[in-house]
Each structure stands twice: as structure tokens, then as C-alpha cells.
Amino acid sequence: MGFFDKFKLSKLREGLQKSHEEFVRKINRVFYQSRKIDDELMAEIEETLLLSDVGVATTERIIAHLEHEIQFKQWSEASQLRDELRAQIGEALINPLLKKEGIGGGNGHIAQLPPDPLLLKDGEYPKPYVVLIVGVNGVGKTTTIGKMAYNYRNAGKRVIIGAADTFRAAANQQLEVWAKRAGVEIVQQHHGADPSAVAYDTVQSAITKDADVVLIDTAGRLHTKQNLMAELEKMTRVMRKLKADVPHEVLLVLDATTGQNALQQAREFTKVASITGLVLTKLDGTAKGGIVIALTNELRVPVRYIGVGEKIEDLQPFDPAEFAKAMFGDMMFQEEVTSQ
Ligand code: GDP
Ligand code: MG
């Protein structure tokens, strides 16, 4: 079975159900039959987008665009605006990822998505392909690593997990459970060991064993920017003694249920670390899936994976078109409006 099969799609729909229902409910309330365009309508559209965590900057851009269209096309019916809103949301979700230019990452460029070994054959990606997973405590780093390991292994890759979250005593144990579930190896040291040493050992072991993918778990307690930067730099420096081009990816894990807080964390992390992609977890537990739009538009760092549950199979590569469908509906809110 491929990764993008029907089961996964229905799983995505299920995971995004809260976001979908909430959004459709609000939009139905805004676009009631035979409503005319006026300031109140515009204010309600704006509010709906903000409440779905689409983000201030993106919401303002969408509203400005809609107002321009109203003037230019002389629209008066709310229904005329609805289609344009749908198009704008789709655009906000998909377009930033296609554009080469843009803001983001502090360097004026959208991060290029590195090739994912999950989708590639041997020889088409650097080996071992080293992925560092970062993010604050509790966002779902360890869980995501377990899920990723499982997916890579199912794709026929040999995976080694590095337990570089050495701060918490229970961290190794938790990661071990996930490694066992995924059926992959784990490299660890004693509690309190230098995370860089663990990272080194893991890459070393991967080279020796000719492994395809290395997933390195990190601690989430690096509160200050200086700490975080120093720690990641050290890990990188030490690993590069073995292989000059690592890490190939630095994935920032964010908890979607924290909404605007997740956006703030993303801003902070992208300032101090070269984040290549985002993982948005717990989308099943929130009605604010619009956060994906805020993240892709305001940071221009691509969302790589999304978590839609606590189980090992509940991680999916992020596909903006599928996401748009699952969150906003195939026809978006069209059919629901008439059946209200
Ligand atoms: P870490 O501190 O960043 O390593 O976070 P953990 O991996 O330990 O996860 C923290 C909690 O979030 C755990 O209870 C996980 O089961 C839960 N979690 C992680 N990802 C998801 C997800 O996609 N959906 C749901 N519902 N829970 C998740
Ligand atoms: Mg952890």
C-alpha cells in the first residue's frame, strides 16, 4: 500500500474533522442565503479566519484582496464573494510553497524541501540521511520520531534513532518503546550524557551499519535562544566530523492545539536555527487547523508532516491540496450552505 492511499485520506479527513466542522459552521453562519455584501459581512469573514488561526497577516491580505474584488467587479451578493474566499484560502495554502522567492527563514528565501528518502530509492538521497528533530517539551517530538521511523521502515529503509534528549530520565525509555514499536534500532547513552556525543554515536553507527535514515531526538528544554543555538551548533559540528553535509533536515515540531503560540515558537526557532521543515502535531485535537495557513504564509517554511493522532500510523506527509480538501471540503462550504 502506498502512502497516499484512500485509507490515509479518510484518516486525514477524520483527523481534521473538528477543524472542518467548526469552519463550515462559522462560514454557514456568515454566508446565509441572499445576504448582501456590507461592512458587517466583511468583519464577520475576518473574524472567522482569525478564529480558525489563519493568522493576522494572512487574514488581512485575504480581506484586502476581497475588498478589491468587490470594488472592481461591482459585487453585491455575499454568494459572489464566497467563491473568491474559497479560491483565496486555497491559494494561501498552496502557493507559498510553490514560490521560490518570498520571505521566511530570515534569508529571504523559502526553505527548499530536501528530497525525502521516504519517497525515493537508494542512491537518490544522501546516506545516511540525518534528520534532527527539535521543538519545545510536549509538542510531540518523540512520538513523531516513532511514527517517522515506522513509515521509513515500511518503505524498506533501515533506520537508526538517536536518543539525544538526555536531560529527562524517562526520555530514553519512552523512545525505546517507540523504537520497538517501529522495529528499528536505537542508540543511547546514560541519562545526562552530552547530546552531541549521542548524535555522534548514532551517525557513526549508521555509517557502520549502512543505515538509510538517522532520526535524532533532542531535548525540549533549551529555553533561551543562546542555549538552543549553542546546542544545535555543537551537535552539528560534532556530527560533521563523520559526515560533512549533516544534518540534511532540521524539523521543528509544533503542537497545533497551541494555535498562535505555535506560530510564535516557529518564529523564535527559525531565527536561531536553520529549520528546513515543520511537523504539525495534534491536528486531530484542535478546531484550529487554519494554523497551517498562518505557518506557511508567515514563515515560508514548508510543513513536512502532520500528526493526526497518537498511534504509530497517525503521521502523514503534508499535501496542501489534500489538506485543503479535508479541512474546507471538496466544494468547500458550497453544499453545506444550501442544506442549512
Ligand atoms: P515531546 O516532549 O516533544 O517528545 O512530546 P511527546 O512525543 O512525548 O508527546 C507528548 C504528548 O503528545 C503525548 O501524549 C503524545 O501521545 C501526544 N501526541 C503527539 N503527537 C500527537 C498527535 O498527532 N495527536 C495527538 N492527539 N496526540 C499527539
Ligand atoms: Mg520527547
mmCIF file of all heavy atoms in Angstrom, residues 142 165 168 174 217, ligand 2:
data_model
loop_
_atom_site.group_PDB
_atom_site.id
_atom_site.type_symbol
_atom_site.label_atom_id
_atom_site.label_comp_id
_atom_site.label_asym_id
_atom_site.label_seq_id
_atom_site.Cartn_x
_atom_site.Cartn_y
_atom_site.Cartn_z
ATOM 1 N N THR A 142 9.077 13.038 20.294
ATOM 2 C CA THR A 142 9.387 11.617 20.432
ATOM 3 C C THR A 142 8.363 10.757 19.678
ATOM 4 O O THR A 142 8.722 9.824 18.962
ATOM 5 C CB THR A 142 9.442 11.246 21.926
ATOM 6 O OG1 THR A 142 10.437 12.073 22.542
ATOM 7 C CG2 THR A 142 9.809 9.788 22.126
ATOM 8 N N ASP A 165 17.902 13.351 23.663
ATOM 9 C CA ASP A 165 17.246 14.042 24.774
ATOM 10 C C ASP A 165 17.734 13.340 26.034
ATOM 11 O O ASP A 165 17.132 12.389 26.511
ATOM 12 C CB ASP A 165 15.718 13.943 24.669
ATOM 13 C CG ASP A 165 15.015 14.554 25.886
ATOM 14 O OD1 ASP A 165 15.716 15.083 26.774
ATOM 15 O OD2 ASP A 165 13.777 14.507 25.944
ATOM 16 N N ARG A 168 15.974 14.344 30.401
ATOM 17 C CA ARG A 168 14.945 13.696 31.203
ATOM 18 C C ARG A 168 15.258 12.212 31.358
ATOM 19 O O ARG A 168 15.586 11.539 30.370
ATOM 20 C CB ARG A 168 13.570 13.869 30.546
ATOM 21 C CG ARG A 168 13.010 15.285 30.687
ATOM 22 C CD ARG A 168 11.593 15.375 30.168
ATOM 23 N NE ARG A 168 11.468 14.694 28.875
ATOM 24 C CZ ARG A 168 10.627 13.709 28.635
ATOM 25 N NH1 ARG A 168 9.827 13.276 29.593
ATOM 26 N NH2 ARG A 168 10.559 13.151 27.445
ATOM 27 N N GLN A 174 11.020 6.091 26.918
ATOM 28 C CA GLN A 174 9.899 6.396 26.023
ATOM 29 C C GLN A 174 10.304 6.187 24.565
ATOM 30 O O GLN A 174 9.549 5.613 23.775
ATOM 31 C CB GLN A 174 9.453 7.856 26.237
ATOM 32 C CG GLN A 174 8.158 8.210 25.524
ATOM 33 C CD GLN A 174 7.976 9.721 25.369
ATOM 34 O OE1 GLN A 174 8.802 10.513 25.846
ATOM 35 N NE2 GLN A 174 6.919 10.118 24.691
ATOM 36 N N ASP A 217 16.444 12.558 18.270
ATOM 37 C CA ASP A 217 15.536 13.216 19.214
ATOM 38 C C ASP A 217 16.360 14.199 20.037
ATOM 39 O O ASP A 217 17.487 13.906 20.421
ATOM 40 C CB ASP A 217 14.929 12.146 20.150
ATOM 41 C CG ASP A 217 13.687 12.649 20.874
ATOM 42 O OD1 ASP A 217 13.198 13.742 20.531
ATOM 43 O OD2 ASP A 217 13.197 11.927 21.769
HETATM 44 MG MG MG B 2 10.464 13.681 23.945
#
